[in-house]
Amino acid sequence: MYVNPRLQPGAPTPSTRSQPNPFEDALYGAGPGLIRGGLGAYGEKFLGSSSEYVQSNISRYFSNPQYYFQVNDQYVRNKLKVVLFPFLHRGHWTRIMEPVGGRLSYKPPIYDINAPDLYIPFMAFGTYVVLAGLLLGLQGQFSPEALQWLFVKGLLGWSLQVMLLKVTLLSLGGVEPPLLDIVAYAGYSFAGLCLAIIGKIILRYMYFVMMPLACLCMGIFLVKTMKRVLSAEVRSYDASRLHYLLLFIAFAQFPLFSWLGNISLNWLF
Amino acid sequence: MAKEFNVPPVVFPAGGNPAAGNLQQRRVPTAPFQPPRPPSSSLPFMSFDIGSATSTAASTIYGGPIGGGGGGGPSGSANFDDEEPLLDELGIHPEQIWRKTRSILNPFRVNPAVHTDSDLSGPIILYLSLCLFQLLAGKIQFGVILGWIVVSSMFLYVVFNMLAGRNGKLNLHTCTSVVGYCMLPLVILSAASLFLPQASVVRFGIAGAFVLWATRASTALMVALAEGEEEHRGLVAYACFLIYTLFSLLVIF
C-alpha cells in the first residue's frame, strides 16, 4: 500500500479501496515534489530486489510520510495529553486496523489516538530550539551560532533516541515497525523536554523537579508503546529479556534528557 | 581615382564600427578610454568586440540592457528607446511592493487579494532593512537572517503541504513571499528596540505583541492563498509563531 503503484501495475490501485481516503497516496497528491521524487527513488531501490516476500515488507521499512500528517486540532490536544501524562490515559494503547484494498493497515492519526504522527515531534523540536534560545538569552549568552549548535544537538539527541528504540526492537527480533514510526515515537520526547525547559525559565529550581517528572512520563509512554508494538508480533521471545530491555529504555531517558536539557554555550556537553 | 581600395572597417580598440560606436560608448564608458591593464589580466571585456555577436562577456557583466543593446547596436539607434525600463525588466514593481506592505500594516484585517501573485523583491527589501536596523544595534547578522529565512520558509512549505494532503497547492515561491512580507512587524520591532531599554519587561512585551501580529498576518495569508485549509489553521499558526519567535530572539537579545 505504501509502494508506488506506478511501478506495480498489478497492485491494488487506489480506486478499488472500500473507503476512498483522499489523504493516502502522497505520490498522487500535489504534495512537495521533492518528497514525491524521494519516495519514488526509494520505491525503485526496494523494488529492484525480486522476491515477493521482500516486496510485501517494503511498506514496513519506509512508509508514506503523509500518513503522519493527517492530524487536526483535537488529535493534537489529546495526543499531547497522552504523551505528557501517560499514566492518565484510561483507554487501551493498541492501534486500530482497517482493511484497505485487501490488506490490513492502520487507521490514520485523525481516527486513532494511538497512531504516531510527525506533526507533534516536528513542532516540539522547533519549540525546543526556540526555548533553548530564550534560555540562552536570559542567561546573557545568546548568539545565532550558539542557537545553530543547539539545533544540531537536538537533532543528535533525536537520532540517539531513535537508535535506542531501533536497537531494542532489533534485539528482540521480529519485523520492526516502519522507520518513520520510530522517528515519531522518539520525537515525542521533545514535548516533555520543552515543559522541563519552561520550568527552568520560570524558576531555576523548578527544573530539578520537572526534569525527572518528564523523564518518568516519557519512560512510561515509551514502555507502553514498545510493549504494544512488540506484542503485535506474535513471536516467542524471552519474557524476562523483554522486561529488562523495556526497563533499560525507561532508565536511558534520564541521561538523555539531562544532556538535552543542559543548555549552555558548550553545546556538546 | 577610379581604383577602389579594399579598406577594412575601422575598428576601435574595444569598440564596434563608428555608426554604433558612439551609442556603445554611452553605455560602456570604459571601452574607448582603455585604462591601462596588466598583461596578465583575465578580465573578459578586454578581448571582445562590442559590435560583434560575441558580446556575451559584456552582457554577463553589465546585465540585460547592455546585452540587448549590444546585440541590437549594429542595426541602429532605435533600440535604446524601445527597451523596457530597468525595474520592469528586473521584475521589481515598487507600487505592488508598497501595496503589499501596506496591507500587512493593519494588524486586524489582512487583505489576501493583493498577495495572489507572489514576488521576492519585497521580501528582499524587508530583509535588507531588518539587517540595517540590526546593524544599527551593533549586530552584523546578514548571513544569519538570510539563512534562517530560507530554512524557515522551507520548513513551513513542507509542513503546510503535508498537512494539506492531497490539496497541497502552496509552492515555495509563494511561501517565501508570505514569510518575507510578514517580517514587516519584526522590522518595526527592530527599529523600536533601538530605543527600548535592554532586558526589560517592556522589551519582551512589545516583542510578544509584534510576533503575534506577524503570526496572525502570515496565517491569514497562507490559509487564504492555498484554499481549503481552514481546518488546519491552528496548526499552521503554531508553525508560523515558532518562525517569528525565532527571528524575534535575534532582535531582543
Side-chain angles (χ1 to χ4, degrees):
Chain A
M1 163 186 95
Y2 296 127
V3 176
N4 184 353
R6 263 192 284 125
L7 303 171
Q8 258 190 340
T13 57
S15 56
T16 62
R17 261 181 229 155
S18 54
Q19 186 183 334
N21 191 341
F23 286 121
E24 294 197 87
D25 261 342
L27 301 167
Y28 280 146
L34 282 172
I35 296 183
R36 199 169 5 155
L39 269 183
Y42 270 111
E44 286 173 73
K45 186 160 70 155
F46 284 128
L47 281 180
S49 56
S50 53
S51 69
E52 200 7 85
Y53 178 75
V54 174
Q55 274 188 357
S56 70
N57 280 321
I58 286 171
S59 62
R60 305 281 201 156
Y61 292 105
F62 193 77
S63 47
N64 165 18
Q66 200 143 44
Y67 166 85
Y68 299 93
F69 280 92
Q70 293 168 220
V71 291
N72 60 0
D73 267 345
Q74 193 192 23
Y75 169 84
V76 169
R77 249 180 289 139
N78 291 334
K79 186 74 180 197
L80 272 178
K81 275 192 269 188
V82 169
V83 168
L84 293 173
F85 311 111
F87 39 84
L88 292 177
H89 184 57
R90 293 282 163 237
H92 58 87
W93 287 78
T94 51
R95 285 167 79 175
I96 311 172
M97 302 267 236
E98 62 175 353
V100 161
R103 285 213 279 190
L104 274 186
S105 67
Y106 290 115
K107 273 198 169 162
I110 301 191
Y111 305 116
D112 181 12
I113 191 67
N114 293 315
D117 75 305
L118 275 178
Y119 175 81
I120 294 182
F122 272 98
M123 292 301 134
F125 181 73
T127 313
Y128 165 75
V129 172
V130 167
L131 282 176
L134 194 58
L135 189 60
L136 272 187
L138 288 172
Q139 290 168 350
Q141 298 167 332
F142 181 83
S143 79
E145 288 73 30
L147 197 58
Q148 285 160 358
W149 282 119
L150 275 173
F151 175 85
V152 171
K153 179 177 180 173
L155 279 182
L156 261 183
W158 196 343
S159 47
L160 273 177
Q161 182 91 295
V162 167
M163 278 196 298
L164 171 75
L165 291 176
K166 187 101 183 160
V167 159
T168 310
L169 289 170
L170 267 178
S171 69
L172 283 170
V175 187
E176 305 102 41
L179 182 64
L180 285 183
D181 271 19
I182 301 182
V183 167
Y185 294 135
Y188 285 130
S189 59
F190 285 102
L193 194 55
C194 287
L195 268 195
I197 296 185
I198 290 179
K200 196 170 185 179
I201 290 179
I202 295 178
L203 194 60
R204 177 112 212 275
Y205 297 104
M206 208 155 114
Y207 175 70
F208 296 106
V209 168
M210 304 277 305
M211 181 56 82
L213 275 179
C215 296
L216 213 56
C217 291
M218 190 62 197
I220 298 178
F221 174 78
L222 280 179
V223 161
K224 290 220 155 101
T225 313
M226 291 296 118
K227 205 152 134 184
R228 184 254 298 155
V229 163
L230 289 165
S231 62
E233 310 291 318
V234 181
R235 290 207 151 230
S236 60
Y237 43 74
D238 200 357
S240 70
R241 207 164 125 219
L242 168 72
H243 289 142
Y244 281 135
L245 277 174
L246 290 179
L247 216 54
F248 174 68
I249 291 181
F251 280 131
Q253 300 303 303
F254 285 86
L256 187 67
F257 272 45
S258 48
W259 177 59
L260 281 175
N262 176 24
I263 295 170
S264 66
L265 273 187
N266 183 4
W267 71 280
L268 193 52
F269 297 110
Chain B
M1 285 312 208
K3 186 167 183 193
E4 286 262 316
F5 293 102
N6 228 0
V7 181
V10 176
V11 176
F12 287 113
N17 51 42
N22 295 337
L23 211 54
Q24 308 312 317
Q25 283 159 35
R26 205 195 312 167
R27 260 169 288 138
V28 187
T30 59
F33 300 105
Q34 284 303 300
R37 295 201 179 273
S40 58
S41 158
S42 58
L43 289 168
F45 66 82
M46 273 300 292
S47 56
F48 77 99
D49 200 2
I50 288 190
S52 70
T54 59
S55 58
T56 47
S59 38
T60 52
I61 299 176
Y62 292 108
I66 296 300
S75 55
S77 58
N79 283 26
F80 182 68
D81 299 322
D82 283 347
E83 277 175 20
E84 285 181 79
L86 178 61
L87 282 185
D88 272 351
E89 193 145 344
L90 291 176
I92 305 176
H93 310 287
E95 294 152 14
Q96 191 191 31
I97 297 178
W98 176 234
R99 232 181 310 137
K100 287 188 180 182
T101 312
R102 222 178 38 213
S103 80
I104 313 254
L105 271 177
N106 177 6
F108 299 110
R109 195 175 22 157
V110 176
N111 179 13
V114 298
H115 285 267
T116 39
D117 50 339
S118 54
D119 77 310
L120 287 183
S121 39
I124 289 186
I125 294 179
L126 285 173
Y127 154 72
L128 284 175
S129 44
L130 178 63
C131 291
L132 173 71
F133 287 122
Q134 289 290 87
L135 197 60
L136 285 175
K139 308 173 206 167
I140 305 180
Q141 287 167 347
F142 286 85
V144 166
I145 298 182
L146 185 63
W148 286 16
I149 288 183
V150 169
V151 169
S152 55
S153 69
M154 286 201 297
F155 169 73
L156 195 60
Y157 166 73
V158 166
V159 168
F160 192 88
N161 274 332
M162 289 298 215
L163 279 178
R166 196 149 219 187
N167 313 322
K169 279 201 251 67
L170 193 71
N171 60 346
L172 193 55
H173 194 259
T174 312
C175 187
T176 312
S177 173
V178 167
V179 167
Y181 272 108
C182 294
M183 296 276 278
L184 175 69
L186 289 173
V187 173
I188 302 179
L189 173 69
S190 68
S193 76
L194 292 173
F195 304 105
L196 293 172
Q198 189 79 5
S200 62
V201 182
V202 176
R203 201 179 175 101
F204 286 104
I206 293 189
F210 278 81
V211 163
L212 284 174
W213 173 10
T215 311
R216 194 193 161 93
S218 64
T219 319
L221 280 179
M222 303 275 289
V223 166
L225 288 177
E227 312 86 34
E229 273 316 293
E230 259 315 307
E231 73 248 23
H232 292 132
R233 201 187 175 106
L235 304 179
V236 173
Y238 187 68
C240 294
F241 175 74
L242 279 183
I243 292 177
Y244 291 114
T245 315
L246 201 61
F247 284 104
S248 72
L249 286 180
L250 280 181
V251 174
I252 301 177
F253 295 114

